[in-house]
Amino acid sequence: RKEVEQDPGPFNVPEGATVAFNCTYSNSASQSFFWYRQDCRKEPKLLMSVYSSGNEDGRFTAQLNRASQYISLLIRDSKLSDSATYLCVVRGGGNKLTFGTGTQLKVEL
Amino acid sequence: DADVTQTPRNRITKTGKRIMLECSQTKGHDRMYWYRQDPGLGLRLIYYSFDVKDINKGEISDGYSVSRQAQAKFSLSLESAIPNQTALYFCATSAGGVNTEAFFGQGTRLTVV
């Protein structure tokens, strides 16, 4: 089993739609959680951290369920500019960051 | 100027050649990492370093070596490049602490022919 698993997609959605991505992780001792965004052939950049109580940043909402070991990202009112690959990232033992393979989102007119 | 700079940005090399990828950062972070990215496999950790005297293997270190020349510099070497090392390589840095963000360089696209 991979340490961090994501549905690779692609998710093709119309502009204005709401889309949700899930991610599961295998190490119950994982300490912190993040969503990164990666545009084609570019470096990953932090989208948002994920806190136990859930957190929101504009159109983006992240949730963490430690009991079930999954993380979610909800994007409301999708924009064309949201088209990218979304990487679920977990920091575990040794302070290492482990990346999921990413979920590709395509927002269409 | 980018906070994390990788050189070269693109490189084509022949099988068996030695190649070094360099990374420098101006963030003042102690922690530096090398990842490779392959289609369908995501980013995988090659080596990481928490300070100048600390070097650790990641999940796919075979065929690679690293050198932490200074707090700001962390280089990755392929002693004898092979075609399956063709990939996109990223250097990253972070501060200490569990909730700190990692900052990535722009990547080096390496092709081994």
Side-chain angles (χ1 to χ4, degrees):
Chain A
R1 181 184 175 188
K2 291 182 181 178
E3 286 190 57
V4 180
E5 294 203 60
Q6 295 181 249
D7 181 341
F11 284 63
N12 298 321
V13 303
E15 206 174 12
T18 295
V19 61
F21 305 139
N22 291 324
C23 165
T24 58
Y25 61 96
S26 61
N27 184 355
S28 60
S30 297
Q31 299 170 302
S32 52
F33 310 88
F34 310 88
W35 284 101
Y36 276 69
R37 171 190 168 132
Q38 185 176 25
D39 293 294
C40 187
R41 296 173 178 262
K42 298 285 186 68
E43 72 273 26
K45 293 185 179 180
L46 179 68
L47 177 66
M48 57 195 305
S49 300
V50 187
Y51 301 121
S52 296
S53 55
N55 49 299
E56 187 174 305
D57 182 1
R59 298 181 293 108
F60 299 86
T61 301
Q63 297 278 354
L64 168 63
N65 184 320
R66 282 190 181 271
S68 301
Q69 295 181 208
Y70 84 77
I71 306 149
S72 64
L73 176 67
L74 182 76
I75 305 175
R76 291 181 299 279
D77 188 23
S78 299
K79 311 292 185 190
L80 294 174
S81 58
D82 293 334
S83 297
T85 297
Y86 291 84
L87 304 169
C88 175
V89 185
V90 174
R91 177 172 269 132
N95 214 281
K96 293 181 295 182
L97 288 173
T98 300
F99 287 75
T101 53
T103 298
Q104 188 178 10
L105 172 66
K106 295 180 180 179
V107 182
E108 303 165 330
L109 287 171
Chain B
D1 287 344
D3 292 323
V4 184
T5 302
Q6 291 183 231
T7 56
R9 294 291 311 281
N10 290 282
R11 180 73 180 266
I12 300 173
T13 192
K14 293 184 177 180
T15 297
K17 293 290 187 182
R18 183 180 188 275
I19 182 169
M20 179 182 288
L21 309 183
E22 299 191 5
C23 177
S24 62
Q25 51 112 348
T26 58
K27 303 288 290 182
H29 291 162
D30 287 327
R31 301 179 178 196
M32 298 189 73
Y33 311 81
W34 275 104
Y35 290 87
R36 67 176 277 176
Q37 186 172 34
D38 300 274
L41 296 177
L43 279 88
R44 292 180 292 164
L45 183 62
I46 306 172
Y47 270 95
Y48 60 104
S49 168
F50 285 173
D51 66 39
V52 175
K53 296 181 181 179
D54 176 77
I55 302 288
N56 304 282
K57 292 183 177 181
E59 58 181 305
I60 53 161
S61 58
D62 288 348
Y64 302 94
S65 63
V66 290
S67 173
R68 185 81 184 266
Q69 300 97 323
Q71 186 206 37
K73 295 183 184 294
F74 191 36
S75 59
L76 176 72
S77 293
L78 288 68
E79 296 299 327
S80 179
I82 56 177
N84 76 1
Q85 291 178 311
T86 293
L88 182 56
Y89 289 83
F90 286 106
C91 173
T93 76
S94 72
V98 298
N99 290 316
T100 55
E101 174 183 357
F103 295 85
F104 285 80
Q106 294 173 300
T108 296
R109 185 163 297 279
L110 177 66
T111 303
V112 183
V113 297

